[in-house]
């Protein structure tokens, strides 16, 4: 529950900041004939809009992108079609993302959320403090060339201090870097399974069994190789440790 509150505070903060402070969630207007009408405030509307955009922010500003792409490529390399299912892959990606982002969330909770709940900080100051750890995480895993590209496209000069880079330039650069890294992982994952396919295809060709699909024969060997090397531990451990280097 606390993690959910942290995500809502962080990702809906820019939208909530635009709402007029002190506006109640609902306002009741009494007409001349004694009837009442209810209107929804802009503050609640901004909150609901922020919740609908929360999945996009989760993908754009965390380790989610790298993990889900690598797991999708792994499933393609194994040739297991829809096994594990999309629900399993997304659930695994989400929990691994929470594990990787835990230090960042702890800093946000300690430096921004708890002081705000204890009324030690104002809303705007709490939002500023909450953005700092996330900005540092994204900047750490963004390639300089990607960041320079988007700054050049926007016609902006690179600031002397990297911490001054705005989120509007950092977010696309971060996602681009994550996609590059994910496909590098995918290339390395595909190689051993591709070798198995080539060996099986060559053996079948030499035996004259050209009508038999090599995928049928190579599939159990791929599964066996993946189990023998403890593939899930290797893949997930490597993904998690890649964010702590």
């Amino acid at each position: 529950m606390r993690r959910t509150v942290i995500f809502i505070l962080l990702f809906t903060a820019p939208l909530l900041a635009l709402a007029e402070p002190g506006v109640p969630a609902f306002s009741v207007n009494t007409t001349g004939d004694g009837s009442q009408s209810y209107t929804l405030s802009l503050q609640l509307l901004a909150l609901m809009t922020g919740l609908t955009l929360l999945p996009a922010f989760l993908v754009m500003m965390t380790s989610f992108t790298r993990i889900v792409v690598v797991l999708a490529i792994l499933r393609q390399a194994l040739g297991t079609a829809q096994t594990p299912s999309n629900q399993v892959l997304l659930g695994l990606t989400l929990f691994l993302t929470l594990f990787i982002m835990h230090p960042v969330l702890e800093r946000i909770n300690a430096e921004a959320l708890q002081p705000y709940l204890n009324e030690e900080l104002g809303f705007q100051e709490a939002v500023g403090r909450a953005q700092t750890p996330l900005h540092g995480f994204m900047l750490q895993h963004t390639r300089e060339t990607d960041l320079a590209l988007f700054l050049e496209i926007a016609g902006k000069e690179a600031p002397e201090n990297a911490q001054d880079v705005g989120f509007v330039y950092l977010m696309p650069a971060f996602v681009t870097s994550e996609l590059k890294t994910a496909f590098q992982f995918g290339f390395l994952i595909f190689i051993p399974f591709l070798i198995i396919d080539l060996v099986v295809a060559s053996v079948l060709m030499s035996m004259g069994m050209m009508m038999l699909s090599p995928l049928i024969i190579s599939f159990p060997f791929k599964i066996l190789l993946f189990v023998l090397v403890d593939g899930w531990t290797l893949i997930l451990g490597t993904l998690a440790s890649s964010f702590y280097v």
Side-chain angles (χ1 to χ4, degrees), residues 4 22 24 43 55 62 72 104 131 140 146-147 149 168 174 187 190 200 209 224 229 233 235 238:
T4 304
Q43 184 176 2
T62 66
V104 177
Q131 292 177 351
Q140 180 183 358
D146 295 329
L147 184 58
L149 172 64
V168 67
F174 172 74
F187 173 76
F190 237 105
V200 171
M209 304 174 65
L224 178 62
V229 301
T233 301
I235 296 296
T238 303

Side-chain angles (χ1 to χ4, degrees), residues 124-172:
Q124 295 294 339
E125 187 177 357
V127 170
R129 289 194 180 186
Q131 292 177 351
T132 301
L134 189 62
H135 187 280
F137 171 82
M138 296 171 62
L139 190 62
Q140 180 183 358
H141 299 286
T142 302
R143 291 178 171 86
E144 294 183 1
T145 53
D146 295 329
L147 184 58
L149 172 64
F150 285 97
L151 288 173
E152 181 181 354
I153 293 175
K156 302 291 184 179
E157 295 184 358
E160 297 181 359
N161 188 356
Q163 298 298 328
D164 296 332
V165 177
F167 272 100
V168 67
Y169 313 113
L170 183 58
M171 288 176 63

Side-chain angles (χ1 to χ4, degrees), residues 90-132:
L90 290 176
L92 181 60
T93 302
L94 179 60
F95 283 107
L96 190 58
T97 298
L98 292 176
F99 170 78
I100 294 172
M101 300 298 296
H102 182 264
V104 177
L105 298 178
E106 284 295 324
R107 283 192 58 191
I108 293 175
N109 180 60
E111 299 177 6
L113 181 59
Q114 291 303 322
Y116 174 72
L117 295 178
N118 295 332
E119 298 183 354
E120 299 174 1
L121 292 177
F123 183 77
Q124 295 294 339
E125 187 177 357
V127 170
R129 289 194 180 186
Q131 292 177 351
T132 301

Side-chain angles (χ1 to χ4, degrees), residues 3-16 43-58:
R3 298 291 180 266
T4 304
V5 174
I6 293 173
F7 273 111
I8 293 176
L9 171 67
L10 177 61
F11 295 133
T12 63
L15 293 174
L16 291 177
Q43 184 176 2
L44 185 59
L45 179 61
L47 176 61
M48 298 304 296
T49 304
L51 290 177
T52 60
L53 296 176
L54 184 59
F57 283 117
L58 176 64

